Amino acid sequence: MSEKSASNNLSMEVSMKAAQGGSKCFDDDGRLKRTGTVWTASAHIITAVIGSGVLSLAWATAQLGWIAGPTVLFMFSFVTYYTSCLLAACYRSGDSVTGKRNYTYMEAVQANLGGFQVKICGAIQYMNLFGVAVGYTIAASISMTAVKRSNCFHDSDAKDPCEISSTPYMIAFGAMEILFSQIPDFDQISWLSIVAAIMSFTYSSIGLALGISKVAETGKFRGSLTGISIGTVTQTQKIWRSFQALGAIAFAYSYSLILIEIQNTLKSPPSESKTMKRATLLSVVVTTVFYMLCGCFGYAAFGDLAPGNLLTGFGFYNPFWLLDIANIAIVVHLVGAYQVYCQPLFAFVEKHATRIFPNSDFINKEFDIPLPGGFKPYKLNLFRLVWRTLFVILTTIISMLMPFFNDVVGILGAFGFWPLTVYFPVEMYIVQKKIPKWSTRWISLQILSVACLIISICAAAGSFAGVVTDLKVYRPFQTTY
């Protein structure tokens, strides 16, 4: 038998095995066997979801009150769970067991909806990633100033107002991100993600513990059934703040962007969609319980005075060393989280630049830079160095121009929630399952989508109103905390 015939027979054998569900070492798409389980998928989701958004939940609950606050939290958790299950069903095109895999959110949109909707999805996705970079820069600088302020309060026995400018800290955070952004790709930052995940649980747990201890100390639950009272704020402010609170809660639950990527790590059988639905249920339940505790105990501790950021709004002054640990943990987490969210955007721009200018040395050539200690040489690419540095500088400047944590979180939550968490999963599921137009199921899904669109519009309006209010008393590059 000739080498060519042998090769053909071997490829046919591999194809037949793939068609039958893969070999012992490879999955049906020819890739190495995936090993992910319900537990690993749940861990990824919880790590992605429990981030800086948790810090604004006490403030959000204070705007809505004891009835609407927990109700809205529960409502967002249910919608997130339900639409995540719809999205999980779109991992494979056609049959849920043997259909073609979609490795990313964009691929799922391309396979099910195609055309112009893919471009809209891409634009929203990458604008959201850019916005997250701005939000994280603001949050990190606020935590840096909080460490300085807590020590200042401690040293002066709270007699000094300790007003500190956030601008130098934003510049310092930007400088760190310029350095970390030179890590070439996503595969090489897993260690940074692990550290970031540990930090997110650290500061979230400290915030919860301080809230519980404050309630135990005073012996009473503060707050009211309807939230912050008229008089503390005007009627108009009450409405806008309630809308803004919706955006803050939506931001805290946002993880749809990475759901397909997490699902792509799961082993089968059982089918990936079954495993992902179980993982989604487990992680949303854990997250919701944690959010309820953080939001409710934060509100119970401070009532109408609940700060916009639980660990930096100085509802807590002592123990100052514990606050310092929490805020340092926030900064470390955000250094890693910034990269996790920005690396896909970096990769997208660099891939397209290579495609448009395939012969450009500036874009494509890499130079080996020797590293001490026996490490492999660092591969320096001039385009990556220049463009990523400019990107970080731009996000830092925008952060200095608009350093309003709650407003930015609300805008990001409102902007990303409806299209990425609701609209695209609903529309893809309708196509995937061939649900007839005007059937009961189709009408129910459309009602859900429209209701979430209205909530997103209200949240966006409230957050933009908050920015307008803040800008009236704000001077660029001179914000103090």
Side-chain angles (χ1 to χ4, degrees), residues 361-370 377-385:
D361 283 348
F362 174 70
I363 290 174
N364 299 299
K365 192 170 182 181
E366 292 187 332
F367 301 91
D368 285 347
I369 307 296
Y378 173 75
K379 294 190 177 297
L380 175 68
N381 175 275
L382 292 177
F383 175 67
R384 183 171 66 229
L385 175 65

Side-chain angles (χ1 to χ4, degrees), residues 92 114 178 192 195 226-227 269 273 309 343 362 365 367 405 480:
R92 287 183 183 265
I178 287 174
L192 200 57
V195 172
T226 55
S273 61
N309 184 320
Q343 285 288 344
F362 174 70
K365 192 170 182 181
F367 301 91
F405 176 73
T480 57

Side-chain angles (χ1 to χ4, degrees), residues 298-320:
Y299 183 38
F302 300 110
D304 287 357
L305 300 176
N309 184 320
L310 191 59
L311 292 172
T312 62
F314 283 86
F316 301 113
Y317 295 94
N318 286 302
F320 81 100

Side-chain angles (χ1 to χ4, degrees), residues 138-401:
I138 296 168
S141 71
I142 293 173
S143 287
M144 289 178 185
T145 59
V147 172
K148 183 82 173 171
R149 286 187 70 203
S150 75
N151 290 312
C152 172
F153 274 124
H154 181 73
D155 294 339
S156 68
D157 290 326
K159 292 172 185 172
D160 189 333
C162 299
E163 292 189 350
I164 298 165
S165 172
S166 64
T167 300
Y169 295 97
M170 287 188 187
I171 294 170
F173 184 79
M176 279 192 285
E177 293 304 343
I178 287 174
L179 180 65
F180 281 110
S181 68
Q182 298 311 313
I183 297 172
D185 55 52
F186 205 82
D187 295 335
Q188 296 174 36
I189 63 168
S190 57
W191 62 273
L192 200 57
S193 297
I194 293 167
V195 172
I198 295 169
M199 293 298 108
S200 71
F201 271 103
T202 300
Y203 67 71
S204 298
S205 300
I206 290 173
L208 174 59
L210 288 171
I212 293 171
S213 66
K214 183 100 174 171
V215 171
E217 181 187 322
T218 57
K220 61 180 179 179
F221 278 68
R222 294 181 180 172
S224 65
L225 295 179
T226 55
I228 194 166
S229 53
I230 307 299
T232 308
V233 292
T234 65
Q235 181 73 51
T236 306
Q237 284 176 321
K238 169 79 173 171
I239 294 168
W240 290 130
R241 282 181 168 215
S242 297
F243 287 166
Q244 190 180 339
L246 297 177
I249 294 171
F251 178 77
Y253 272 107
S254 176
Y255 76 96
S256 296
L257 270 179
I258 57 169
L259 184 143
I260 297 288
E261 283 83 346
I262 292 172
Q263 194 167 348
N264 191 43
T265 66
L266 298 176
K267 65 182 179 183
S268 61
S271 70
E272 298 87 357
S273 61
K274 279 186 182 176
T275 305
M276 196 65 196
K277 285 173 185 175
R278 288 172 59 202
T280 298
L281 178 61
L282 177 63
S283 52
V284 168
V285 167
V286 170
T287 303
T288 301
V289 170
F290 198 74
Y291 280 2
M292 286 282 190
L293 290 171
C294 285
C296 293
F297 271 104
Y299 183 38
F302 300 110
D304 287 357
L305 300 176
N309 184 320
L310 191 59
L311 292 172
T312 62
F314 283 86
F316 301 113
Y317 295 94
N318 286 302
F320 81 100
W321 56 268
L322 189 59
L323 281 171
D324 287 354
I325 291 172
N327 281 301
I328 290 167
I330 291 173
V331 175
V332 174
H333 169 239
L334 293 176
V335 168
Y338 185 105
Q339 290 303 315
V340 168
Y341 276 92
C342 289
Q343 285 288 344
L345 180 55
F346 293 157
F348 174 79
V349 170
E350 286 154 22
K351 180 181 171 185
H352 279 266
T354 301
R355 195 178 67 188
I356 296 167
F357 304 103
N359 300 317
S360 168
D361 283 348
F362 174 70
I363 290 174
N364 299 299
K365 192 170 182 181
E366 292 187 332
F367 301 91
D368 285 347
I369 307 296
L371 295 175
F375 290 100
K376 288 192 293 185
Y378 173 75
K379 294 190 177 297
L380 175 68
N381 175 275
L382 292 177
F383 175 67
R384 183 171 66 229
L385 175 65
V386 172
W387 124 255
R388 293 190 183 189
T389 300
L390 291 174
F391 174 88
V392 175
I393 290 171
L394 179 61
T395 58
T396 306
I397 291 172
I398 292 174
S399 303
M400 289 190 286
L401 287 170

Side-chain angles (χ1 to χ4, degrees), residues 6-61:
S7 174
N8 286 341
N9 286 341
L10 181 61
S11 62
M12 281 176 67
E13 191 178 329
V14 170
S15 300
M16 286 173 68
K17 281 183 179 178
Q20 293 163 2
S23 66
K24 289 181 179 178
C25 300
F26 298 94
D27 275 327
D28 55 356
D29 59 349
R31 297 192 178 190
L32 284 172
K33 276 281 187 187
R34 293 160 174 83
T35 57
T37 64
V38 169
W39 301 107
T40 61
S42 300
H44 284 312
I45 295 170
I46 292 168
T47 298
V49 175
I50 297 179
S52 59
V54 72
L55 300 174
S56 63
L57 291 180
W59 179 89
T61 307

